[in-house]
Amino acid sequence: TKVTIGMLKLTEEQAAICASQAQVLIARAFAGTGKTSTLRAFAGARSGRRILYVAFNKAIQQEAAGKFPGHVTCRTSHALAYAAVGRQYGEVPNKLLPDIRPYHIQRHLARSLRDIPVGAHNLYCGRVIETVKKFIVSRDPALSSEHVVLGNSPVERGFEQSQIEQDARRVWELMQSRQSDVPMLHDGYLKLYQ
């Protein structure tokens, strides 16, 4: 059965979502099931209220901005995080970068690197960086041993998991410090916002 709201024909499930007065409403939907149409109808039924549409990426945000009425603000999660937290890193020259490389952190890990063959320094630093990145895209509130990334190459057998975890925590602290030369990543300030 179809229900019409404005110009949109909705299923009973979509209409129920639009009619809901719940403070928190969660609707699970698969690709191609009419999520955007449902949200447009939801917004249309609430023309007197300000609504925030949070999009996964810039392309989706821009597309949504063209489809929704003026009382709906369309933003990416990174844009919200940047306004709340990330801007402070953007104000520091060379602090906010799209990626972090081993050369950014090597001097900060000198103590750990002294027992590792020189030819494996970049690999070790890379594992520390991967550990930090795995943490910042997780839902976890703290970096732990579960985030440690280790390969199985012969040289990595000499890497201590607990040392990588400790070094990753140090790098994460340095990323957060505006006085440090270790870059902050876009996913890093998103993690802080989380």
Side-chain angles (χ1 to χ4, degrees), residues 84-157:
V85 180
R87 177 173 279 120
Q88 66 178 314
Y89 298 105
E91 294 168 354
V92 178
N94 301 314
K95 181 66 178 174
L96 186 57
L97 296 178
D99 205 1
I100 183 172
R101 304 281 185 211
Y103 68 84
H104 288 121
I105 65 170
Q106 273 188 351
R107 71 181 186 86
H108 300 287
L109 305 183
R111 182 173 286 146
S112 298
L113 293 173
R114 70 177 172 218
D115 296 327
I116 295 172
V118 174
H121 285 190
N122 278 348
L123 179 60
Y124 181 84
C125 290
R127 294 303 187 210
V128 170
I129 290 167
E130 289 176 58
T131 298
V132 172
K133 287 179 175 181
K134 185 175 178 182
F135 161 66
I136 63 178
V137 299
S138 76
R139 61 188 253 177
D140 302 321
L143 196 149
S144 71
S145 61
E146 293 180 21
H147 302 110
V148 174
V149 177
L150 256 177
N152 53 12
S153 68
V155 73
E156 289 182 79
R157 291 186 193 124

Side-chain angles (χ1 to χ4, degrees), residues 27-40:
R28 290 189 169 87
F30 296 103
T33 58
K35 292 182 291 293
T36 301
S37 297
T38 304
L39 292 172
R40 286 177 56 210

Side-chain angles (χ1 to χ4, degrees), residues 48-98:
R49 299 188 67 187
R50 291 176 23 191
I51 296 175
L52 175 64
Y53 175 102
V54 181
F56 178 72
N57 63 38
K58 188 71 171 171
I60 293 170
Q61 178 259 320
Q62 289 174 331
E63 181 181 343
K67 291 182 177 180
F68 283 87
H71 69 284
V72 177
T73 301
C74 300
R75 297 281 187 268
T76 63
S77 53
H78 280 86
L80 294 172
Y82 184 83
V85 180
R87 177 173 279 120
Q88 66 178 314
Y89 298 105
E91 294 168 354
V92 178
N94 301 314
K95 181 66 178 174
L96 186 57
L97 296 178

